[in-house]
C-alpha cells in the first residue's frame, strides 16, 4: 500500500485516570462534558464513513483509540495518568501533563481486535479560559508501523487539526502534508474517559 496520507482523525479527547485524581482535572473534565452536551448524536456516534471523494481523499483506513483516565469508572486498568502539575493550581488545569499508553482497536468496542497502542503525552497549555491541549504521541501498530501526531486542540471545539507523520517502522509517510482531525466520539459520564476515532486517507 502506498502510505502517503493526509490523516483525518475523528477523536474523542483524552481522559484522566483515578490515580491521576479526578479533582485535579475537574476543569478539563467539565469542559469535555460541555462539549458533549453541545455535540449532535451524528457527530459523536462515530458511525459515519469518509467518502472516497471527500476533500480529495481516497483509500481511507480507520481505527479507534481508547483513553482511560478513570479506571474505576471504566471497570479496567487506567491507560493515561497525570504525571505533573504546577505548584499553583489554575482554574483551567494549566500546566497539567498527562502520559498515555492507550489501546488502539479496529472498532469502537474496547473488546474489538487490538492493533496497536497510542503512546505519548498531552499538556494543558493555556493560562486562561477553557483548557487547550498540546498533543505529542505515536500510534505504534502491531506490524511495526509508527505514525506520530503533534498539535494543539482547544477542548471547547468539536474538531481540530494536528500534524501527523511517519516516525519509524514500516509504511513510512514519505511525501505530502499529513493532518489529523480530532472530534468527539464518546465521553464517559465523568468526562474523564474517551474514545478516539481516527480515519486515515491518501491525499490525491
Amino acid at each position: 500500500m502506498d502510505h502517503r496520507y493526509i490523516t483525518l482523525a475523528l477523536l474523542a479527547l483524552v481522559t484522566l485516570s483515578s490515580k491521576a485524581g479526578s479533582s485535579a482535572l475537574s476543569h478539563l473534565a467539565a469542559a469535555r462534558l460541555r462539549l458533549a452536551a453541545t455535540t449532535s448524536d451524528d457527530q459523536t456516534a462515530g458511525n459515519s464513513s469518509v467518502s472516497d471523494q471527500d476533500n480529495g481523499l481516497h483509500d481511507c483506513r480507520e481505527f479507534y483509540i481508547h483513553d482511560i483516565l478513570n479506571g474505576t469508572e471504566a471497570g479496567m486498568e487506567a491507560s493515561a495518568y497525570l504525571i505533573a502539575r504546577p505548584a499553583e493550581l489554575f482554574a483551567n488545569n494549566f500546566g497539567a501533563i498527562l502520559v498515555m499508553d492507550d489501546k488502539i482497536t479496529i472498532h469502537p468496542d474496547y473488546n474489538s481486535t487490538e492493533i496497536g497502542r497510542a503512546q505519548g503525552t498531552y499538556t494543558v497549555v493555556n493560562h486562561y479560559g477553557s483548557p487547550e491541549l498540546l498533543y505529542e504521541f505515536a500510534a505504534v501498530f502491531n506490524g511495526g508501523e509508527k505514525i506520530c501526531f503533534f498539535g494543539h486542540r482547544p477542548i471547547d471545539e468539536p474538531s481540530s487539526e494536528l500534524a501527523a507523520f511517519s516516525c519509524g517502522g514500516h509504511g513510512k509517510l514519505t511525501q505530502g502534508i499529513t493532518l489529523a482531525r480530532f472530534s468527539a466520539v464518546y465521553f464517559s459520564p465523568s468526562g474523564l474517559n474517551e474514545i478516539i476515532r481516527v480515519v486515515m486517507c491518501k491525499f490525491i
Side-chain angles (χ1 to χ4, degrees):
M1 177 185 292
D2 184 347
H3 290 279
R4 292 173 294 172
Y5 293 101
I6 275 191
T7 306
L8 300 179
L10 305 176
L11 300 163
L13 263 189
V14 247
T15 70
L16 300 154
S17 94
S18 53
K19 292 184 179 180
S22 59
S23 61
L25 295 163
S26 59
H27 298 286
L28 182 59
R32 289 176 176 152
L33 291 177
R34 288 195 300 272
L35 175 61
T38 58
T39 304
S40 70
D41 291 340
D42 288 342
Q43 290 173 293
T44 57
N47 293 324
S48 60
S49 61
V50 176
S51 167
D52 287 350
Q53 303 304 315
D54 288 348
N55 300 317
L57 305 175
H58 63 101
D59 294 346
C60 296
R61 95 193 223 208
E62 178 178 330
F63 56 88
Y64 294 81
I65 298 173
H66 302 260
D67 194 66
I68 309 297
L69 281 160
N70 189 331
T72 300
E73 180 183 39
M76 62 187 68
E77 184 178 0
S79 62
Y81 297 86
L82 176 67
I83 59 170
R85 63 180 179 181
E88 179 182 354
L89 297 181
F90 296 94
N92 64 347
N93 302 128
F94 170 64
I97 302 174
L98 300 101
V99 63
M100 64 181 185
D101 180 13
D102 294 341
K103 182 177 182 178
I104 301 175
T105 63
I106 59 174
H107 299 298
D109 185 350
Y110 184 84
N111 295 317
S112 62
T113 302
E114 180 175 341
I115 59 173
R117 308 291 295 188
Q119 300 171 329
T121 62
Y122 53 97
T123 306
V124 180
V125 293
N126 64 311
H127 201 159
Y128 302 104
S130 185
E132 300 175 7
L133 302 181
L134 183 70
Y135 285 95
E136 298 175 280
F137 73 93
V140 182
F141 296 97
N142 295 344
E145 182 182 15
K146 299 177 184 179
I147 298 174
C148 288
F149 297 85
F150 177 83
H152 176 266
R153 166 161 185 142
I155 292 294
D156 58 359
E157 294 184 6
S159 67
S160 299
E161 291 186 344
L162 283 71
F165 52 93
S166 173
C167 52
H170 305 296
K172 293 182 179 179
L173 302 174
T174 57
Q175 297 183 28
I177 298 171
T178 306
L179 300 175
R181 182 172 298 157
F182 289 54
S183 61
V185 174
Y186 168 77
F187 295 96
S188 69
S190 71
L192 295 177
N193 300 329
E194 297 179 338
I195 299 172
I196 298 165
R197 181 186 181 221
V198 181
V199 178
M200 299 184 62
C201 304
K202 288 201 300 185
F203 179 60
I204 299 174

